[in-house]
Amino acid sequence: MKVIITKDKEALADKAFEVMKAVVDGKKDAVLGLATGSTPIGLYARMVADHRKNGTSYREIKTVNLDEYAGLRPTDPQSYRYFMRDNLLDHIDIDLTNTYIEDGTATDAEKECERYNALLRRLPRDIQLLGIGENGHIAFNEPGTPFDMETHVVTLTENTIAANSRFFEKESDVPRRAFTMGPKNIMDAKKVLILAVGTNKADAVRAMVEGEVTESLPASILQKHPDCILIADEGAASKLSKK
Ligand code: GLP
């Protein structure tokens, strides 16, 4: 894993943008695996600004997202579909029919997971963007998720519900279940870009980079990816022994 440490979250977003822009410039019909959470917001803002200023086009680009809350409609402001439109997709020239995410309202969960896995096989990702949870989760793959798992429905841990409650009015509003790509789907992407900001991520970052590869720390699987870049700010990198 290549590790890049930046001074703060602004410098991190600049660096992440460089990596993403190289993929988009290199292939006009690239498939981008995208992520939600607060960490990628600065990167998305830079993609939007660059599109407006330099006309970088996404007309033939496709996107696939990592995860979606179960039970939320795409129009629900807390849904990840809404987040993606709000932060990126509605502000670039992408064709919305080329932007994919699990259907949180699907009643047959198994069928929806199969549909998404088939879609991911049809659209090999040139890059997969990731954030990391405080407990080392990637997407919604909580500790203990088998590494060979594909898209599935998860029951969120108390830790993740509490961490994500900042986006909701109250903790009881946070959905308890979500659809998520599995570790196997994530590892299938050609390139992985994982971003981490803040000292609350320092333990997870250290375990991911320097700890053993174990299903109890889902992000540790990335040590085995042939082209994975971690960009961490000084806070998130503060517990790494080799810098
Ligand atoms: C959620 C998302 C993850 C994300 C994590 C961290 O659990 N499902 O994909 O990485 O939050 O979010 P943040 O970037 O806000 O710290």
Side-chain angles (χ1 to χ4, degrees), residues 3 13 50 57 84 88 97 144 151 171 196 199 223:
V3 181
D50 166 67
S57 180
M84 288 312 304
L88 177 70
T97 61
T151 308
E171 196 166 309
T199 50
Q223 288 180 28

Side-chain angles (χ1 to χ4, degrees), residues 36-40 66-67 80 131-133 137 139-140 160 164 166-167 201:
T36 54
S38 54
T39 312
L66 287 171
D67 44 13
Y80 283 169
I132 182 168
H137 75 239
F140 270 133
T160 299
N164 287 359
R166 68 204 140 105
F167 298 110
K201 302 289 175 71

Side-chain angles (χ1 to χ4, degrees), residues 36 66-69 80 137-143 145 152 154-156 160-161 164 174-175 177-181 186:
T36 54
L66 287 171
D67 44 13
E68 178 60 286
Y69 285 118
Y80 283 169
H137 75 239
I138 43 176
F140 270 133
N141 295 290
E142 300 282 18
T145 308
H152 59 287
V154 288
T155 300
L156 304 181
T160 299
I161 291 169
N164 287 359
V174 185
R177 281 156 38 99
F179 288 91
T180 183
M181 277 189 207
I186 291 169

Side-chain angles (χ1 to χ4, degrees), residues 89-131:
L89 303 173
D90 282 353
H91 312 293
I92 54 178
D93 63 344
I94 199 161
D95 176 350
L96 283 180
T97 61
N98 285 335
T99 64
Y100 303 94
I101 189 162
E102 295 94 332
D103 176 5
T105 63
T107 43
D108 187 337
E110 206 176 310
K111 214 165 136 205
E112 175 57 10
C113 294
E114 273 169 29
R115 180 192 73 86
Y116 212 63
N117 286 328
L119 179 94
L120 294 172
R121 276 191 283 274
R122 197 156 49 76
L123 299 175
R125 280 148 293 152
D126 294 287
I127 187 167
Q128 177 63 60
L129 177 65
L130 293 175

Side-chain angles (χ1 to χ4, degrees), residues 181-202:
M181 277 189 207
K184 172 156 191 325
N185 305 114
I186 291 169
M187 290 296 281
D188 283 345
K190 211 182 284 173
K191 183 187 209 60
V192 173
L193 172 61
I194 180 160
L195 309 178
V197 170
T199 50
N200 57 323
K201 302 289 175 71

